[in-house]
């Protein structure tokens, strides 16, 4: 059983930066990552990190976002730089036992997610 709680969203101007954080409790030694969902849109897996610390990213955010994990604190961060309007969405921290989020950025089969945090870029 995994519980995830996000923090750090907000409003920012285009070109700005935000840092999202997620605290994991429970069985956290699985693929952890972030997906986002805009209004009326499907989930988009954007960044994930596996049990061995290997990170993967969606093409849409490659080079602008960086994911990191602190195993001692069970926290997962997403540093978002050079934000653009299309980055506006609700961002969710997720856990994926099967690892599809880590391997192919597929967020459809996640096992747990947080309540989300809103990111608005204007």
């Amino acid at each position: 059983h995994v519980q995830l709680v996000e923090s750090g969203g907000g409003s920012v101007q285009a070109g700005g930066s935000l840092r999202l954080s997620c605290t994991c409790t429970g069985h956290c030694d699985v693929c952890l990552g972030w997906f986002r969902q805009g209004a009326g849109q499907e989930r988009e897996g954007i960044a994930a990190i596996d049990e061995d610390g290997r990170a993967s990213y969606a093409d849409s955010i490659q080079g602008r976002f960086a994911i990191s994990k602190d195993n001692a604190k069970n926290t997962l961060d997403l540093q978002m730089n050079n934000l653009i309007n299309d980055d506006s969405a609700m961002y969710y921290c997720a856990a994926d036992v099967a690892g599809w989020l880590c391997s192919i950025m597929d967020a459809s089969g996640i096992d747990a997610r947080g309540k989300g945090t809103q990111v608005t870029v204007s």
Side-chain angles (χ1 to χ4, degrees):
H1 184 63
V2 177
Q3 289 186 316
L4 304 162
V5 178
E6 306 96 338
S7 62
S11 297
V12 65
Q13 291 187 336
S17 298
L18 283 173
R19 188 176 184 89
L20 306 183
S21 292
C22 173
T23 299
C24 178
T25 55
H27 181 48
C28 300
D29 190 22
V30 296
C31 167
L32 297 175
W34 295 88
F35 71 92
R36 65 189 181 186
Q37 190 165 18
Q41 298 180 351
E42 295 188 355
R43 292 178 179 179
E44 178 192 12
I46 56 172
I49 190 164
D50 68 13
E51 301 94 308
D52 296 322
R54 290 177 296 225
S56 52
Y57 299 95
D59 290 343
S60 60
I61 58 90
Q62 183 77 38
R64 299 187 297 119
F65 292 10
I67 190 170
S68 60
K69 184 170 70 169
D70 186 325
N71 290 322
K73 298 179 180 179
N74 274 342
T75 56
L76 182 76
D77 289 351
L78 185 67
Q79 178 66 41
M80 306 186 294
N81 299 325
N82 196 20
L83 286 159
I84 61 177
N85 290 352
D86 286 349
D87 293 323
S88 295
M90 186 71 80
Y91 283 68
Y92 298 88
C93 179
D96 186 351
V97 176
W100 294 113
L101 183 60
C102 285
S103 58
I104 60 172
M105 284 294 119
D106 183 353
S108 63
I110 60 169
D111 298 279
R113 66 168 176 84
K115 293 182 178 180
T117 185
Q118 178 69 40
V119 171
T120 303
V121 184
S122 59

